[in-house]
Amino acid sequence: MKLGKVEFCHFLQLIALFLCFSGMSQAELSRSRSKPYFQAGRPRTKRSWVWNQFFVLEEYMGSDPLYVGKLHSDVDKGDGSIKYILSGEGASSIFIIDENTGDIHATKRLDREEQAYYTLRAQALDRLTNKPVEPESEFVIKIQDINDNEPKFLDGPYTAGVPEMSPVGTSVVQVTATDADDPTYGNSARVVYSILQGQPYFSVEPKTGVIKTALPNMDREAKDQYLLVIQAKDMVGQNGGLSGTTSVTVTLTDVNDNPPRFPRRSYQYNVPESLPVASVVARIKAADADIGANAEMEYKIVDGDGLGIFKISVDRDTQEGIITIQKDLDFETKTSYTLRIEAANKDADPRFLSLGPFSDTTTVKIIVEDVDEPPVFSSPLYPMEVSEATQVGNIIGTVAAHDPDSSNSPVRYSIDRNTDLERYFNIDANSGVITTAKSLDRETNAVHNITVLAMESQNPSQVGRGYVAITILDINDNAPEFAMDYETTLCENAQPGQVIQKISAVDKDEPSNGHQFYFSLTTDATNNHNFSLKDNKDNTASILTRRTGFRRQDQSVYYLPVFIVDSGSPSLSSTNTLTIRVCDCDADGVAQTCNAEAYVLPAGLSTGALIAILACVLTLLVLILLIITMRRRKKEPLIFDEERDIRENIVRYDDEGGGEEDTEAFDMAALRNLNVIRDTKARRDVTPEMQFLSRPAFKSLPDNVIFREFIWERLKEADVDPGAPPYDSLQTYAFEGNGSVAESLSSLESISSNSDQNYDYLSDWGPRFKRLADMYGTGQESLYS
């Protein structure tokens, strides 16, 4: 029977493996037959153990323990006096030994991938004494590998990319499989690669696992992704070997192999003529099968009659061409425009230029539509000038607007009053002539910016706006004045000719050649002996002293009138008063105090103390005056002088009062006057008071009529007064009317010659009434005779 080369090699390997196992399993410890060798001074004993390495096949699945090898000592005579002991890795748990024969067995299934070898120690003991008969020795049990692990792709599944249109053999990615079997023994860990899925587009190198392209001109636009299945098999791919698989997803990346193309050869868009500048007219887009940067395009207008009217730009997000207006459209001027637009790739790939030009063109026609436009002013801004002295109604200027439409509708003008709130100007609705409506003042407002509205007569909703800037020209209508409120101080020890103040002036007017002011003292102040004025000829003046020895106690404040004239035509002038205060100064001329009363203060007495003293003195004076007044009232005589007003106390008896505090005096002559002049009080929260002005007495009326009308007038006044408090405050007047038996006791009419009243009985009332009896009794003639 003939064997092939492969079968013969396998046969030789099996024979070698068998011989190796046979020799290792029968290995024994041989004891040397030679006699011990002695060296002078130091004995030397030869070892009795000779070791070889033991081998055990992994993954043994038998029911009986697996025989590993045998230990034997020359001391052992076979009579059972020697016993063998095993220690070290796996002793008693994995490996056991027959203590009588020295046979070693493995009791468990061994896996080389978990542990490749075990290190153990052997000992021969005397069974009776349990003492070693040989020195302890170490040996190794190595696990023999079998092909029990398949190759594995630890990094799978894989993803990779390769440019489309790549040539055959372009490397895509490398895959790697690992085998846990022993790579140094046999072919258990020798792996080869093959492709199970992905032909005919890709291939794989059997030994390296490198995946390459297998077809040319793979087009991403046709198919952009492929799924490959790669197999790794051990035993060099022979039958009986183990295998593992992984997947590889290959994506074709884009290259610029497709030119842009417009879907249509021409486009048309309608645009109203009123569309503002920079507005978008249209969006067009050329199609490109590529993606990303390879699909980026540039648009430009290459031809047409709208080159200066329109422009095109690219939207980077959508790659669209955006057509916008650069200038205003006018239907009356041009009704349509034609544009020829080109689209080209931003970056072309030179490898594919042979496929054709990477650009395309299209035609865009833009139709301008007519709209009703508002009136248009002949100028965007009308500058005008007018003097502030112009009269009301004078013409300032004229604006003009027209209807740009073919209908040429008439235009009417008006002023936007939001820009002329004070109504300084008017405009003629038909002619556009602007006139003044009020007096102008440049100092209040130097420039008026107004908006003029122009609307079509046939369609008032169409309104155009024009702008007018009216500059007010200055005239000299404001007199000069001090530039500030000066606070001038003068030291008491000032010397003659000393400058105490430098003054300047301002003028609200703005002459074209600038201000020029002239300073002088007024005529009344020219010859004063205290101060003089020097015009510095630079719009300033200096105030100088003319004498020395200024004293605050003599005069603490001086008022110096300064006359200022401007250079206008005609010139204007004003008199401004400079206040000069005399002050006490230190050695450096710095004012310390300017109060004149400081001189009368005693040394060490402050102003606050002086005020307190004056308040006390004033209080004492008031008390003294009150006391004197009270004493004089007590000493007044009972008889009234003819020059004094005769008054009478009318006392209210309808409530309990406090004596003299309840009496209120009234001018009875005023009460009898029907035309009383009343002074209405502002405060209504106190009892009203009546003040009467003396008037000639009218003819007498019955007392009840007088008082009734008077009280009625007061009541009506209180009712109609909107500022009165929510309560009535009316005075009650006790009055004995005409029906009284005692009649009136008033002395207002007692001195009349026709009085028939006899007052002689008053003398019977006692000494206190004797004076009255003498005045009004029958003995009256004898008293003044």
Side-chain angles (χ1 to χ4, degrees), residues 619-632:
T619 303
L620 292 175
L621 291 175
V622 171
L623 291 176
I624 293 172
L625 290 175
L626 289 176
I627 294 172
I628 294 173
T629 303
M630 295 297 295
R631 289 183 176 179
R632 287 182 177 180

Side-chain angles (χ1 to χ4, degrees), residues 159-167 169-173 201-202 211-213 218 220 223-224 226 249-255:
T159 58
V162 63
E164 63 174 333
M165 298 295 176
S166 296
T170 302
S171 178
V172 179
V173 69
Y201 306 102
F202 299 93
I211 300 173
K212 300 180 179 180
T213 59
M218 286 190 292
R220 185 199 65 83
K223 185 176 181 180
D224 62 347
Y226 297 85
T249 301
V250 180
T251 301
L252 296 183
T253 58
D254 186 58
V255 297

Side-chain angles (χ1 to χ4, degrees), residues 268-539:
Q268 180 173 315
Y269 298 95
N270 294 343
V271 179
E273 63 173 336
S274 59
L275 200 64
V277 173
S279 299
V280 176
V281 174
R283 287 175 174 263
I284 60 175
K285 183 178 181 181
D288 193 327
D290 298 322
I291 59 174
N294 297 319
E296 292 182 358
M297 284 175 280
E298 297 289 348
Y299 296 89
K300 62 181 179 179
I301 301 174
V302 295
D303 196 7
D305 55 0
L307 288 174
I309 307 300
F310 303 93
K311 74 173 183 177
I312 188 168
S313 59
V314 63
D315 186 335
R316 293 301 176 189
D317 295 330
T318 62
Q319 296 302 315
E320 292 177 310
I322 304 173
I323 303 174
T324 56
I325 302 175
Q326 285 186 295
K327 295 182 179 179
D328 290 326
L329 301 177
D330 187 6
F331 173 82
E332 288 72 24
T333 303
K334 190 173 179 60
T335 60
S336 66
Y337 297 90
T338 301
L339 305 174
R340 187 164 182 80
I341 297 176
E342 179 186 75
N345 279 138
K346 188 175 181 181
D347 298 313
D349 194 330
R351 297 178 298 169
F352 307 106
L353 292 179
S354 59
L355 300 178
F358 277 74
S359 63
D360 194 17
T361 60
T362 188
T363 302
V364 177
K365 187 173 184 180
I366 299 175
I367 306 299
V368 180
E369 297 178 343
D370 186 25
V371 297
D372 189 4
E373 299 175 272
V376 177
F377 282 87
S378 59
S379 176
L381 177 65
Y382 293 88
M384 299 180 183
E385 293 181 347
V386 62
S387 173
E388 63 177 326
T390 188
Q391 299 297 320
V392 175
N394 284 359
I395 296 176
I396 301 175
T398 304
V399 297
H402 70 281
D403 183 8
D405 298 319
S406 57
S407 60
N408 195 17
S409 175
V411 175
R412 294 183 62 83
Y413 302 94
S414 63
I415 293 177
D416 184 356
R417 290 305 176 183
N418 291 324
T419 61
D420 184 26
L421 297 176
E422 301 296 330
R423 296 181 176 269
Y424 283 107
F425 308 99
N426 289 328
I427 188 171
D428 187 272
N430 298 316
S431 63
V433 174
I434 299 176
T435 57
T436 57
K438 284 185 178 181
S439 297
L440 303 176
D441 185 10
R442 187 203 64 82
E443 288 70 37
T444 303
N445 192 352
V447 178
H448 294 266
N449 294 303
I450 63 174
T451 300
V452 177
L453 307 178
M455 63 183 66
E456 295 182 10
S457 299
Q458 298 177 359
N459 186 5
S461 63
Q462 294 297 326
V463 179
R465 284 174 169 78
Y467 302 97
V468 180
I470 302 175
T471 302
I472 309 302
L473 301 179
D474 186 40
I475 63 170
N476 191 27
D477 60 342
N478 289 277
E481 57 187 11
F482 277 160
M484 58 181 292
D485 292 333
Y486 293 101
E487 295 182 0
T488 305
T489 59
L490 172 65
C491 295
E492 289 182 311
N493 57 357
Q495 299 299 318
Q498 179 178 340
V499 177
I500 62 173
Q501 182 68 61
K502 188 175 183 179
I503 61 175
S504 61
V506 294
D507 195 328
K508 294 180 181 179
D509 297 318
E510 291 184 358
S512 56
N513 298 326
H515 288 291
Q516 180 62 50
F517 300 115
Y518 304 95
F519 300 86
S520 63
L521 296 179
T522 61
T523 304
D524 298 338
T526 302
N527 298 322
N528 78 91
H529 302 290
N530 300 316
F531 307 100
S532 63
L533 182 146
K534 177 185 177 182
D535 193 336
N536 298 324
K537 307 302 182 181
D538 60 353
N539 289 341

Side-chain angles (χ1 to χ4, degrees), residues 151-165:
K152 294 182 179 180
F153 293 91
L154 301 181
D155 297 330
Y158 296 84
T159 58
V162 63
E164 63 174 333
M165 298 295 176

